[in-house]
Each structure stands twice: as structure tokens, then as C-alpha cells.
Amino acid sequence: MRLGLLGLIRSVADEGTEEGALDLGAMIMHHLVDLAEWELPFFTLHFPSFEPIHLGPLVLDLSPTKHLALLLVAAVLCLLLFISAARSLRRRDADQAPSGWANAVETLVVFFRDDVVRTNIGHGADAYTPYVLTVFFFILVNNLLGLVPFMGSATGNLAVTAALALLTFILVEVSGMRALGPRGYLGTIFYAPRGLNPIATGLMLIIMTPVEFLGKLTKPFALAIRLFANMTAGHTLILSLIGMIFVFSNLTVGRWGIAGASVAMSSAIMILEVFVAFLQAYIFAMLTAVFIGLIRHAH
């Protein structure tokens, strides 16, 4: 936590000295938005810029950015961590209990399989365990990278969280169609209670069809916004508290008290952010399992 605060304070101080008076709003946005450069301790990494691709009215810019690089870093870290755990589990004897990191991984895998995936999905749940675990650990590593000096949180980017939510949405709808069949799946959109006369059935279809269809869209929307908002809010709060040190640096009385209070509150928020990083990754994974279970058992 201390290293994270020192890195943020140093970065804010550099911006204040380079530009004269510190623009707190500009400083916060600079650390939150996606950029074509990555500021590292001894140099700044500049990413190449590619010509946008025009597909009619749609313009696609595939140039690499800082958040894309952080996503790749998170993916590599996940591979290294879990390949090492898998090798450790493979080398042990059949009657030997795992230890260390391998034991922690096995505990988490069993917990998600039994208490998250099987509990919420039911029959056939084990087929979805790899995806739910991948989502959890990938989001968790990205969340934690935001607390490391000179890194950043790609999950504070709405495009990233929307892409993750879109993948979950596709998986949920495809699993529902496979479990219910085409006719049963359409029943999750065009809904009317059984036993009604034709007029009442028509009225219920007119009323409930838009509601059911919007309900499908609100699920991935809620996943994307919840993760994005929580990660962005935490980093904004920490940067705002640290920025107070430099905003009130010209005071003749009380500036040391403000600096001490800012560091104390920032330290508390950093500790809370560690908990939030785990919590938001768990909520995203759990809701993924819940949504799959809901559509597979739509009756």
C-alpha cells in the first residue's frame, strides 16, 4: 500500500512541477483514461498508431493502448500463476495433499465449482466452471494491477467491462438455447402465462415481450457498469485525496495537517480497494453463474 501511495504522490508531484499549477481534474483524467503511452519509472513507452479501418459508417481504431497492454500483462500473469500451480499438482503423489500456492488454487477452484457454479446452475454445471473461474481470476488480476505503482486498471475502462459482459451475454443466451431448444428459448422473450383466453394472451404478449427483451439486455449492462463504476470510483477517490496535498500546498497554516489526513485517508481507501478488487471479481463471476442458471431453468 505504501509503495502504491508513494508512486501516486510522486506522479502527481511531477505533473504539478512540469505544468506549474496542478490541475486536479486533468491529473485524475490522465491517470484514468486509456492512452497511447505508458509512463514507467525511467521512461515512457509510446505505442504505435495504426490507420483506422472504415467499415461504412463504422470506424475501427486497432492501435494498441495502455489498457490493452495491461490486459496482456494480466493474461500472462494468469498463465504463469496457474501453469505453475498445475505443474505442482501434477508432480505430487496421489495421496499427498497440495501445499502453498497450489493448495490455494485448488481450494478456490473447488469453492467456485461447488458453491458458485453447481449451486446456481445445477445439472450440467461443471461444463461452465472453467469460464467462470477464468472470468474471476482475469478480472481480479486486472483489478489488483490498478493498485500497483505505474500500472493501471483496465477494468476501469467501460469498453473492457462491456466486452467481458458481452462474452457472458453470448454464453448465457447460447446455453439457454441449447438447454431449452428454439421454442423454449423464444418463450423467454415472448411470454404469456398459460390458461389465458386469446385476448388476454395477446395483451400479455404486447406488455411482457418488451419487458422480457429489455431484461436480457439489462443483465450484461449491469455487469459492465457495476465493475467499471466501482473501479473508477475507487481510483478517482484515491487520486482526489492525494491531489489535496498539492492543491492546499500554498496554505501557511494547516497544510501539514491536510497532508497527513490525505495520506491517512488514502491509505485506508487503498486497503478497502484490495477488498473491492476481490469482491467485484467475485460478483461478476457469481452473477455469470446465476444468469446461466436462470435461463437454463426458465420454467
Side-chain angles (χ1 to χ4, degrees):
M1 293 303 106
R2 185 168 176 269
L3 289 175
L5 284 175
L6 287 176
L8 286 172
I9 293 173
R10 179 178 169 186
S11 176
V12 174
D14 290 341
E15 291 186 15
T17 54
E18 289 176 2
E19 302 176 5
L22 174 66
D23 186 344
L24 184 58
M27 180 274 295
I28 292 174
M29 292 303 298
H30 177 76
H31 284 271
L32 292 180
V33 300
D34 198 7
L35 300 172
E37 60 183 24
W38 188 353
E39 296 178 356
L40 295 169
F42 303 106
F43 64 96
T44 299
L45 181 63
H46 296 276
F47 298 103
S49 178
F50 302 146
E51 192 69 24
I53 300 175
H54 297 272
L55 300 174
L58 184 64
V59 179
L60 297 179
D61 187 358
L62 301 180
S63 302
T65 61
K66 178 182 177 180
H67 286 171
L68 175 61
L70 288 169
L71 289 173
L72 295 176
V73 170
V76 171
L77 287 175
C78 287
L79 287 173
L80 293 176
L81 291 172
F82 289 101
I83 289 175
S84 65
R87 288 178 176 175
S88 177
L89 290 171
R90 182 181 297 175
R91 286 195 299 265
R92 69 183 177 91
D93 297 331
D95 56 346
Q96 182 182 3
S99 61
W101 170 241
N103 185 27
V105 169
E106 185 178 57
T107 302
L108 283 172
V109 169
V110 172
F111 167 75
F112 269 90
R113 184 196 64 188
D114 295 343
D115 296 340
V116 176
V117 179
R118 289 181 177 177
T119 301
N120 291 294
I121 298 179
H123 178 70
D126 289 356
Y128 300 95
T129 302
Y131 177 80
V132 174
L133 284 167
T134 301
V135 165
F136 171 75
F137 285 108
F138 184 68
I139 292 176
L140 175 62
V141 172
N142 275 288
N143 292 348
L144 293 177
L145 283 177
L147 303 177
V148 178
F150 303 104
M151 290 290 182
S153 179
T155 45
N157 187 330
L158 184 57
V160 173
T161 60
L164 292 170
L166 178 61
L167 291 175
T168 294
F169 173 74
I170 294 173
L171 177 65
V172 169
E173 299 306 312
V174 170
S175 63
M177 186 173 294
R178 291 182 62 185
L180 302 175
R183 184 174 180 179
Y185 175 78
L186 289 176
T188 64
I189 301 176
F190 304 97
Y191 173 76
R194 296 180 179 178
L196 298 178
N197 59 56
I199 297 177
T201 300
L203 289 175
M204 288 298 296
L205 286 174
I206 293 173
I207 296 172
M208 295 302 298
T209 298
V211 174
E212 295 293 339
F213 181 75
L214 289 175
K216 289 184 176 293
L217 300 181
T218 55
K219 291 183 178 69
F221 180 80
L223 288 176
I225 295 299
R226 178 186 291 106
L227 180 58
F228 160 74
N230 277 279
M231 302 315 299
T232 301
H235 294 152
T236 302
L237 182 57
I238 293 172
L239 291 168
S240 300
L241 290 172
I242 294 174
M244 289 173 57
I245 299 174
F246 304 95
V247 170
F248 296 102
S249 61
N250 294 327
L251 294 179
T252 56
V253 179
R255 60 181 179 179
W256 290 108
I258 292 175
S262 175
V263 171
M265 290 187 292
S266 299
S267 300
I269 296 299
M270 288 283 280
I271 296 173
L272 179 63
E273 278 293 284
V274 175
F275 171 73
V276 171
F278 280 87
L279 179 63
Q280 292 305 316
Y282 173 75
I283 289 175
F284 197 105
M286 183 191 66
L287 288 179
T288 297
V290 169
F291 295 156
I292 294 173
L294 286 175
I295 197 168
R296 284 172 57 86
H297 307 284
H299 57 281

